Amino acid sequence: MANPDRPTGPESLPERIAIFPLRGAILLPGGRLPLNIFEPRYLAMTRDAMAGGRLIGMIQPRETDEDTYTPPIYGIGCLGRITEFAETGDGRYQIALTGVCRFRVSQEVASDTAYRQVLADYSDYPEDFGEEETAGRTVDRQRLVGGLRKFLDRQGLNADWEAAERASDVALINSLSMMLPLDPSEKQALLEAANVPERADILTTLIEMSLLAGDGDSPVQ
């Protein structure tokens, strides 16, 4: 049975949303992002989200030389729904967001909340609700996984290769895009990819560039 609280298409999503700017972290449709919430303004944001539709927009701040409370943000983020929530004994919240749909920032709006809010436009991303069914079968998994094995080995990291083999193209590509230690600008490129095969091509190229650099790290860090 379908979950009546779960958004089913862009038309079911709110235009005005709270955003959580976090450098180096992206959320993709269907992906799961665990978060440790401790800053007062984001504790308030989480409480408000839990009292409403449980929706929060994840977005990356742009690099700036200034140390500012409200740094400039990228123009594209991803709306997430709180699907796990727990309170800790020291006043923090531990939550997990599940990606719903990417959005383009139409404008940032004035608000009486400590956290920031924007007007979100989802019209460019109707396919985000059906990637599992519509993603093409042109992903070169053999090339990707071959490079990934070398990449992780150089960093001394392990992976559950059996689980990776069982995962769909969508789940594998989106999970790797969110989890791998890449530069924020590279993460943003993965977020903004038009579809999963394009995201796979970008990810494979980034991994191969890192290997050519010889240190296993992101080539532009």
Side-chain angles (χ1 to χ4, degrees):
M1 180 179 296
N3 185 340
D5 296 326
R6 183 176 182 178
T8 55
E11 69 284 348
S12 67
L13 301 177
E15 180 183 21
R16 182 166 178 155
I17 60 171
I19 58 167
F20 186 9
L22 186 60
R23 178 176 167 83
I26 61 170
L27 180 64
L28 287 164
R32 177 184 176 277
L33 180 64
L35 294 167
N36 181 38
I37 309 296
F38 57 88
E39 193 173 340
R41 56 176 163 170
Y42 298 126
L43 290 170
M45 176 191 69
T46 303
R47 287 193 295 270
D48 289 349
M50 290 297 294
R54 292 187 281 169
L55 297 171
I56 293 172
M58 290 300 303
I59 199 163
Q60 289 199 102
R62 291 185 179 274
E63 292 187 40
T64 176
D65 293 332
E66 299 180 11
D67 184 12
T68 174
Y69 191 70
T70 56
I73 54 176
Y74 278 97
I76 295 174
C78 185
L79 189 69
R81 185 169 181 269
I82 299 175
T83 49
E84 297 178 31
F85 174 87
E87 297 184 62
T88 66
D90 56 2
R92 293 176 292 117
Y93 297 149
Q94 292 180 335
I95 69 173
L97 291 180
T98 297
V100 176
C101 182
R102 290 171 291 170
F103 62 86
R104 188 178 300 276
V105 176
S106 297
Q107 68 180 79
E108 187 161 354
V109 293
S111 167
D112 59 0
T113 61
Y115 54 87
R116 299 163 71 179
Q117 298 184 40
V118 301
L119 299 183
D121 179 359
Y122 311 96
S123 61
D124 289 342
Y125 307 107
E127 72 282 357
D128 282 2
F129 288 87
E131 281 192 319
E132 194 68 46
E133 292 77 20
T134 61
R137 302 300 179 187
T138 59
V139 172
D140 189 345
R141 286 179 68 122
Q142 183 175 0
R143 177 183 166 199
L144 172 62
V145 172
L148 180 65
R149 286 181 181 273
K150 296 175 183 177
F151 180 88
L152 295 181
D153 184 61
R154 286 193 180 183
Q155 294 201 347
L157 300 173
N158 297 316
D160 186 340
W161 296 110
E162 291 186 4
E165 182 67 27
R166 294 192 302 268
S168 68
D169 287 348
V170 175
L172 178 65
I173 301 305
N174 286 358
S175 294
L176 290 174
S177 297
M178 291 172 57
M179 294 168 55
L180 288 181
L182 298 170
D183 185 88
S185 63
E186 297 172 333
K187 292 269 192 178
Q188 191 67 26
L190 292 166
L191 172 68
E192 296 184 15
N195 50 49
V196 171
E198 180 178 305
R199 187 171 299 129
D201 288 343
I202 295 171
L203 183 60
T204 302
T205 299
L206 290 172
I207 289 172
E208 291 175 346
M209 288 173 63
S210 293
L211 295 173
L212 287 173
D215 57 10
D217 291 328
S218 172
V220 299
Q221 283 181 344

